Amino acid sequence: SALSPATRKMMFGGTGGVMAGLITYPNDTIRRLLQLQGSRGTTHEYKGYFDCLFSTIKTQGIRRLYAGLTINLIRMAPNTAVQFGSYEILKQWSEKL
């Protein structure tokens, strides 16, 4: 392959970060809604995780679960790419010691 191992790890790390963000973001949205209930400007009180999930989908649609996803992915892709790339570079460096 023409790409160095560190570059490959960065590419796959960034892709993995994006995929992880897509999969876990709805859970983060529900967690934030549950944390904010009862605070200023919120009127709805949820009975638990699934009540919050189904109520949100029913009243605001499934798109609400992904509101703010773009900025999260913009943050997550380079973050995981740097983590994986740094790990590979440090691993290669430590093997030479």
Side-chain angles (χ1 to χ4, degrees):
S1 173
L3 298 174
S4 72
T7 303
R8 288 172 46 93
K9 292 270 181 158
M10 287 181 76
M11 288 173 43
F12 290 124
T15 303
V18 168
M19 294 306 296
L22 286 170
I23 293 167
T24 61
Y25 197 77
N27 186 59
D28 285 340
T29 300
I30 297 303
R31 178 187 51 80
R32 281 189 302 277
L33 289 172
L34 287 168
Q35 286 175 331
L36 291 173
Q37 70 181 345
S39 65
R40 238 188 212 172
T42 60
T43 56
H44 201 287
E45 291 232 5
Y46 303 104
K47 295 179 182 120
Y49 181 87
F50 290 106
D51 179 46
C52 181
L53 175 67
F54 297 132
S55 175
T56 301
I57 292 172
K58 183 178 178 183
T59 58
Q60 301 175 50
I62 200 158
R63 291 184 64 152
R64 172 61 180 98
L65 299 178
Y66 290 94
L69 175 67
T70 304
I71 196 69
N72 188 56
L73 294 180
I74 290 170
R75 175 190 64 86
M76 194 163 240
N79 181 32
T80 54
V82 168
Q83 284 179 344
F84 277 82
S86 299
Y87 172 81
E88 184 63 28
I89 290 168
L90 291 172
K91 186 176 92 170
Q92 289 172 4
W93 177 74
S94 70
E95 289 171 352
K96 294 177 185 177
L97 293 177

